[in-house]
Amino acid sequence: MSTQQPGLIPVPPEGGTDPDFPVPEPLTEHGPARVIAMCNQKGGVGKTTTSVNLAAALAEYGRRVLLIDFDPQGAASAGLGINANEIDETIYTLLMSARPQTQTVIQPTSVVGLDLLPANIDLSAAEVQLVNEVAREHALERVIRPVREDYDVVIVDCQPSLGLLAINALTAAHGVMIPLEAEFFALRGVALLVDTIETVRDRINPKLKIDGILATMVDTRTLHSREVLERLDEAFGELVYDTKIRRTVKFPDASVASEPITTYAPTHAGAQAYRRLAREVIARGDAA
């Protein structure tokens, strides 16, 4: 476990910062939050890893961040050291409430400036129970509304599905970040996700846009990874984040330790990559 003091950002090993994505100025006031849905219907592409570590990195840069675990597996909750199975009220409770008292369910984390709305297996019932509700696509939006002024960024860690929960996340969001494993099979499903995003934008949420596509699990030593990155740039151009997340065992190690990599191994290249992504997100204007 790291002995890093809360709120202090380690100096990158190379001794400098990226000139394209400078360290952001501190905020003089907070809110209203920009909502980012971390979405991909394919599993195992780094959604939760990115949600947890990007949220922690943004908090290090002085942003107030709320991470919403929106997956019944509760991986984001576990990744931040919170056992959601021992909690009576979760995101599921709020979704089922006519007047959600969101602040009472929010859990503080060990990362200064980062809070969590936890999830457990109960959330799996929400998709069925919401079907007969009026304005069922807006359930998550109602949950976020009471606390939106308290945060700069809300990140929704979606489950690997394009069902009703994912539609709720897209309805509540201003932007979508798509983590994409650097392999050809991962590319095949992106078109379907983009179609879903466009449908939600046309029919429910006109403010929704794709913030960017993040290449994850990259191994630039292999020709396969390099070719996938080239295809990604050809297909999506400026939508592809300049920051790439390389494959490393430190990410699962940090998950086992129930910490973001930014505190578990603060000077590791993986931690530096997520800090760079946080600076890029802020520089693009996708976070306050």
Side-chain angles (χ1 to χ4, degrees):
M1 182 177 294
S2 168
T3 57
Q4 178 195 2
Q5 297 179 39
L8 294 184
I9 302 170
V11 176
E14 65 274 16
T17 56
D18 191 320
D20 294 327
F21 311 120
V23 174
E25 295 293 326
L27 296 177
T28 56
E29 55 186 31
H30 299 278
R34 190 170 192 280
V35 182
I36 301 172
M38 196 70 65
C39 194
N40 191 327
Q41 77 272 24
K42 186 178 186 300
V45 299
K47 285 190 301 297
T48 299
T49 296
T50 296
S51 296
V52 168
N53 291 303
L54 175 60
L58 286 169
E60 279 192 352
Y61 288 123
R63 273 55 187 169
R64 289 182 183 167
V65 184
L66 176 64
L67 175 57
I68 299 178
D69 191 346
F70 214 47
D71 186 340
Q73 296 180 74
S77 302
L80 287 170
I82 293 174
N83 186 350
N85 294 320
E86 297 180 351
I87 298 173
D88 291 332
E89 293 187 314
T90 64
I91 184 67
Y92 168 76
T93 315
L94 296 172
L95 290 173
M96 296 299 107
S97 173
R99 292 181 176 83
Q101 302 297 312
T102 307
Q103 191 62 54
T104 64
V105 182
I106 289 174
Q107 300 283 322
T109 74
S110 60
V111 179
V112 175
L114 172 57
D115 293 335
L116 173 77
L117 268 179
N120 58 28
I121 194 62
D122 292 347
L123 184 58
S124 60
E127 202 135 22
V128 175
Q129 291 177 273
L130 285 172
V131 165
N132 296 320
E133 294 290 325
V134 175
R136 57 186 177 270
E137 299 92 351
H138 295 270
L140 180 60
E141 189 176 29
R142 292 199 310 273
V143 170
I144 295 172
R145 193 179 302 139
V147 296
R148 192 169 166 237
E149 298 294 329
D150 300 333
Y151 296 95
D152 302 308
V153 185
V154 174
I155 296 176
V156 184
D157 181 31
C158 300
Q159 65 176 339
S161 162
L162 290 180
L164 184 54
L165 290 181
I167 300 301
N168 260 266
L170 296 177
T171 300
H174 300 95
V176 186
M177 183 180 292
I178 305 173
L180 186 70
E181 184 182 2
E183 61 101 22
F184 281 119
F185 286 119
L187 282 170
R188 297 174 63 185
V190 175
L192 178 59
L193 176 56
V194 170
D195 286 346
T196 301
I197 292 168
E198 291 177 350
T199 300
V200 172
R201 179 170 57 225
D202 290 343
R203 300 181 184 180
I204 306 173
N205 180 9
K207 67 180 181 292
L208 183 66
K209 74 183 189 76
I210 298 175
D211 284 348
I213 297 173
L214 176 69
T216 63
M217 305 181 191
V218 174
D219 185 351
T220 52
R221 298 171 299 177
T222 69
L223 178 61
H224 182 78
S225 265
R226 295 197 299 270
E227 287 180 343
V228 170
L229 292 179
E230 288 176 8
R231 292 278 187 92
L232 205 54
D233 285 333
E234 289 171 5
F236 297 101
E238 292 183 357
L239 278 179
V240 181
Y241 286 102
D242 186 69
T243 303
K244 308 293 188 286
I245 308 300
R246 299 197 179 203
R247 191 184 296 273
T248 171
V249 295
K250 281 295 183 183
F251 290 131
D253 287 350
S255 297
V256 170
S258 299
E259 286 188 70
I261 195 170
T262 50
T263 60
Y264 176 77
T267 60
H268 188 270
Q272 301 296 354
Y274 275 109
R275 290 193 186 95
R276 186 179 192 273
L277 177 63
R279 296 197 302 273
E280 182 173 3
V281 166
I282 292 170
R284 283 182 173 216
D286 296 334

